[in-house]
Amino acid sequence: MSFEWPWQYNFPPFFTLQPNVDTRQKQLAAWCSLVLSYFRHRKLYTVDVLEAQESPVFNNKKIERKLSVEAIQVVFEELRKKGNLEWMDKNKTRCLIMWRRPEEWGKLIYQWVSKNGMVNSVFTLYELSNGDDTENEEFHGLEDWMLLRSLQALQTEGKAEIITMDDGKGVKFF
Amino acid sequence: MDRFTWANGLLEMNETLVIQQRGVRLYDGDEKAKLDVGVVLLSTHRLLWRDQKNHECCICIPLSQIIFFEEQAAGIGKSAKIVIHLHAAPANKDPGPYQHSKFSYIKLSFKEHGQIEFYRRLTEEMTQKRWENTPVSQPIDTTAGPKAGRTRAVGIVGIERKLEEKRKETDKNISEAFEDLSKLMEKVSALPSASILPTSVTTAKEMVELSRSIANKIKDKQGDITEDETIRFKSYLLSMGIANPVTRETHGSGTHYHMQLAKQLGDMLQAPLEERGGMMALTEVYCLVNRARGMELLSPEDLVNACKMFESLKLPLRLRVFDSGVMVVQLQSHSEEEMIASALDNVSDKGSLTAEEFAKLLGLSVLLAKERLLLAEKMGHLCRDDSVEGLRFYPNLF
């Protein structure tokens, strides 16, 4: 299924950071939702800032417009403020895009676990993300770091406990 | 400078003020006098000088002491001067700022110009010698001991003196206010051929008579002018064109000059502004005005200062400064909202516009076109597309 671009994507001013404060707010809101929905569609989780400029999200070849590096930084900062982005390094070269927040993932995982009556069982992380049982689940293929964050969120809620095993990590659900 | 005596700045009974000019420094011969810059006043009997900051410091000299006088042209960094050569001081002269001086001439240095007018008036007074007809005694010291400066106001005499002072002050102010008109009268009579001139020639004389009568009425009855006279007065003013350019030398500098200039600009710019859609950049105004004047060109500061007075003089023009610093003169009737609404229409029609395209569409200069687009953007009607191709404006669809 191909991605449906929003109307702003083909509007040249969308790729120029607007000086008018009100206009800018609307523009950034549109960018945030575009980035999140695109990443969700492609199931992408990490972005390298320098590579980002060439990604179709920020570069519309058809109208020959692309977002400048400064503007991309502004969009990322906006996402970070909303809780959808985390920088992986101090220099802000790579970041994690959480188009779904850890708490939300945690909830989905727990729902699946309880639906299948597997509470009180122990799983390895690999089983959860790549196991045959979870193939139809949304969290199938979830990257490790994201999975870990989600389970940590559940842990804070008291619904799970992360266990360290010989060859990796596991989790027990309550 | 030793011919001067201390004075109280009041005019005597038969003495009238002829002209005064501020921004004048006195010279004892070729050296600067130990006084600051002040106001020089010419009366029918005397030449007075008063310190601008300290009004108590006032000196005078009778006109009869003047042998002759001449102009000294301005130089680079030097103001124009009038050199006045004096008789020796009489033996019983009252005390003054200087006990003796090795020079028998003084100079008046006109730092704020106005020397041409002053010179002319001084010549007039020296020719007419009005002080001989109405002799005025030297001000006599009524209090014991030597003193300098204003008379002290004590008791009923003091109160009376204060009232007298006030009356003279008002008189002086009114004479000053109509100073220009006497000048206009002068110019009118000097003009050669009546056939080329509009009816303003005859109305000028009438107008001046009227203004004098109004001035007298104000003095006597404290401002009881009939409405009829006021209306006549105003109609005369309206019918008056500007006979000659207002220059610094004839009218002195300062806000007075700028006010006159502002009025002149108000008339001059009406037509060009309407042609250009109600708005012109200040640089365009500058070029237009100076080209029309030919000689006696305006400096940029004078133009800006005159433009700043539009609002206070209730002229139908306004000086406006945009955020970017661009200054324009626009008609008061010019409505910015209308302009922005029409700009939005234009941009919507064409989908998008650059400043240059917009300028071409409207017949405006590119600078003003850009200002208008930026203003529309600021109000949220337009948004921008900045790329290697240039800056374009789109209707704000966000």
Side-chain angles (χ1 to χ4, degrees):
Chain A
M1 190 181 74
S2 71
F3 184 68
E4 250 181 62
W5 296 101
W7 69 265
Q8 289 98 332
Y9 187 64
N10 290 310
F11 187 48
F14 193 49
F15 291 85
T16 307
L17 199 56
Q18 294 297 318
N20 181 314
V21 175
D22 297 322
T23 319
R24 180 184 291 206
Q25 270 179 348
K26 292 185 197 154
Q27 181 191 26
L28 286 177
W31 267 113
C32 287
S33 90
L34 172 59
V35 170
L36 291 177
S37 53
Y38 182 78
F39 274 60
R40 180 204 216 104
H41 183 260
R42 298 279 311 274
K43 290 214 193 247
L44 296 169
Y45 301 94
T46 58
V47 183
D48 181 298
V49 176
L50 292 172
E51 286 171 11
Q53 263 212 313
E54 298 311 312
S55 156
V57 191
F58 298 115
N59 185 346
N60 185 342
K61 292 217 160 72
K62 198 172 76 164
I63 60 167
E64 288 176 334
R65 292 283 185 275
K66 61 183 181 188
L67 215 52
S68 68
V69 178
E70 296 84 34
I72 294 178
Q73 293 280 15
V74 173
V75 173
F76 282 175
E77 177 59 21
E78 199 63 26
L79 283 167
R80 190 194 65 77
K81 278 195 245 175
K82 284 171 150 186
N84 293 105
L85 183 147
E86 219 178 86
W87 288 108
M88 287 171 85
D89 63 330
K90 261 208 188 109
N91 297 329
K92 298 198 179 173
T93 53
R94 277 183 81 78
C95 59
L96 311 169
I97 305 281
M98 299 179 281
W99 41 268
R100 190 172 263 150
R101 292 204 327 277
E103 297 80 15
E104 291 163 342
W105 281 122
K107 201 159 139 192
L108 277 177
I109 294 169
Y110 194 78
Q111 270 174 1
W112 175 80
V113 165
S114 56
K115 200 170 69 180
N116 289 319
M118 293 197 245
V119 181
N120 280 318
S121 335
V122 176
F123 291 86
T124 63
L125 296 193
Y126 186 79
E127 276 180 307
L128 283 176
S129 58
N130 292 82
D132 296 331
D133 296 333
T134 65
E135 226 175 279
N136 295 325
E137 296 306 312
E138 275 188 65
F139 55 82
H140 186 87
L142 194 61
E143 285 185 14
D144 269 355
W145 63 271
M146 190 74 227
L147 183 57
L148 199 57
R149 288 251 197 310
S150 330
L151 295 173
Q152 279 166 348
L154 281 175
Q155 186 165 260
T156 350
E157 288 172 36
K159 293 187 171 150
E161 194 188 319
I162 299 168
I163 316 160
T164 321
M165 302 188 302
D166 295 331
D167 52 348
K169 285 196 176 16
V171 60
K172 181 174 178 181
F173 294 97
F174 301 121
Chain B
M1 277 301 292
D2 58 340
R3 277 48 155 192
F4 276 94
T5 57
W6 292 111
N8 57 14
L10 298 176
L11 294 176
E12 296 306 316
M13 284 300 287
N14 295 312
E15 195 181 1
T16 333
L17 181 69
V18 173
I19 185 176
Q20 66 178 37
Q21 178 60 48
R22 48 174 281 139
V24 175
R25 183 189 283 284
L26 294 175
Y27 280 65
D28 178 28
D30 285 320
E31 301 162 359
K32 281 189 188 163
K34 55 175 181 181
L35 298 160
D36 287 321
V37 177
V39 185
V40 69
L41 303 98
L42 175 66
S43 79
T44 44
H45 294 63
R46 297 178 287 170
L47 182 70
L48 301 103
W49 181 93
R50 178 163 60 224
D51 188 321
Q52 251 163 240
K53 293 195 190 115
N54 174 19
H55 287 234
E56 303 248 327
C57 173
C58 183
I59 55 177
C60 73
I61 185 169
L63 291 180
S64 50
Q65 290 263 280
I66 299 178
I67 307 176
F68 85 102
F69 56 94
E70 56 193 350
E71 280 179 290
Q72 189 180 326
I76 302 169
K78 289 182 208 251
S79 318
K81 297 180 179 59
I82 294 180
V83 185
I84 306 180
H85 295 261
L86 305 161
H87 287 296
N92 62 345
K93 177 183 114 13
D94 290 318
Y98 277 65
Q99 289 291 57
H100 13 252
S101 158
K102 57 182 193 241
F103 298 101
S104 61
Y105 63 98
I106 58 155
K107 293 192 196 184
L108 307 175
S109 173
F110 290 82
K111 305 206 106 45
E112 288 182 30
H113 304 272
Q115 70 275 5
I116 294 185
E117 186 59 16
F118 198 87
Y119 182 80
R120 191 179 70 72
R121 289 318 195 74
L122 186 57
T123 319
E124 227 174 68
E125 290 308 314
M126 292 304 292
T127 323
Q128 289 178 6
K129 289 193 172 29
R130 284 194 268 180
W131 67 85
E132 283 176 1
N133 307 332
T134 55
V136 142
S137 58
Q138 288 278 19
I140 302 166
D141 274 359
T142 48
T143 60
K147 65 155 176 39
R150 281 191 181 286
T151 46
R152 302 274 173 264
V154 176
I156 295 181
V157 176
I159 295 171
E160 281 186 332
R161 212 169 270 152
K162 272 211 169 99
L163 284 173
E164 180 65 26
E165 225 176 276
K166 201 159 174 215
R167 190 189 74 75
K168 289 212 166 105
E169 194 63 40
T170 320
D171 185 0
K172 193 165 70 169
N173 284 338
I174 290 165
S175 318
E176 264 175 57
F178 291 103
E179 228 21 82
D180 306 338
L181 296 175
S182 67
K183 185 173 171 15
L184 186 64
M185 281 276 270
E186 190 69 26
K187 287 256 153 92
V188 157
S189 53
L191 287 166
S193 164
S195 58
I196 356 171
L197 295 168
T199 51
S200 56
V201 174
T202 39
T203 56
K205 280 214 154 76
E206 284 167 28
M207 195 191 93
V208 173
E209 291 312 324
L210 177 61
S211 67
R212 282 258 150 85
S213 83
I214 289 175
N216 288 329
K217 283 199 180 167
I218 290 174
K219 262 195 296 185
D220 297 336
K221 292 195 247 171
Q222 253 71 47
D224 190 11
I225 312 168
T226 66
E227 206 177 300
D228 179 48
E229 282 177 321
T230 317
I231 292 171
R232 269 171 67 205
F233 190 54
K234 281 186 180 166
S235 75
Y236 285 143
L237 282 178
L238 279 174
S239 71
M240 197 75 66
I242 296 167
N244 66 323
V246 174
T247 67
R248 239 179 222 279
E249 283 167 336
T250 54
H251 281 83
S253 71
T255 52
H256 185 64
Y257 169 63
H258 293 131
M259 270 164 69
Q260 299 288 37
L261 196 53
K263 288 175 194 156
Q264 197 174 25
L265 287 173
D267 286 333
M268 234 175 126
L269 295 174
Q270 282 281 8
L273 275 175
E274 271 159 32
E275 274 173 41
R276 286 165 178 69
M279 192 190 278
M280 273 170 79
L282 201 59
T283 46
E284 291 173 61
V285 171
Y286 177 77
C287 292
L288 207 72
V289 167
N290 276 333
R291 209 177 298 143
R293 285 184 147 223
M295 292 167 46
E296 304 286 4
L297 303 180
L298 285 182
S299 74
E301 302 91 57
D302 283 336
L303 181 63
V304 174
N305 287 330
C307 287
K308 284 185 184 159
M309 309 208 79
F310 282 149
E311 185 141 5
S312 56
L313 291 174
K314 307 234 187 315
L315 293 166
L317 270 62
R318 288 288 176 272
L319 177 69
R320 189 163 153 207
V321 185
F322 285 106
D323 293 337
S324 53
V326 171
M327 294 167 102
V328 297
V329 173
Q330 65 181 51
L331 287 173
Q332 197 191 4
S333 54
H334 181 268
S335 152
E336 204 53 43
E337 292 78 25
E338 274 176 41
M339 294 297 136
I340 290 176
S342 82
L344 182 56
D345 289 335
N346 287 330
V347 175
S348 306
D349 278 341
K350 303 275 180 198
S352 72
L353 284 177
T354 62
E356 291 81 18
E357 289 166 359
F358 188 53
K360 210 188 245 178
L361 202 65
L362 252 61
L364 277 182
S365 69
V366 178
L367 185 69
L368 292 184
K370 188 158 183 198
E371 285 305 324
R372 196 168 286 177
L373 290 172
L374 285 173
L375 201 60
E377 182 190 34
K378 196 164 150 197
M379 314 225 52
H381 299 297
L382 296 178
C383 57
R384 65 167 63 188
D385 167 39
D386 207 348
S387 67
V388 287
E389 293 168 9
L391 181 61
R392 280 188 159 272
F393 287 88
Y394 285 75
N396 186 2
L397 301 174
F398 284 113

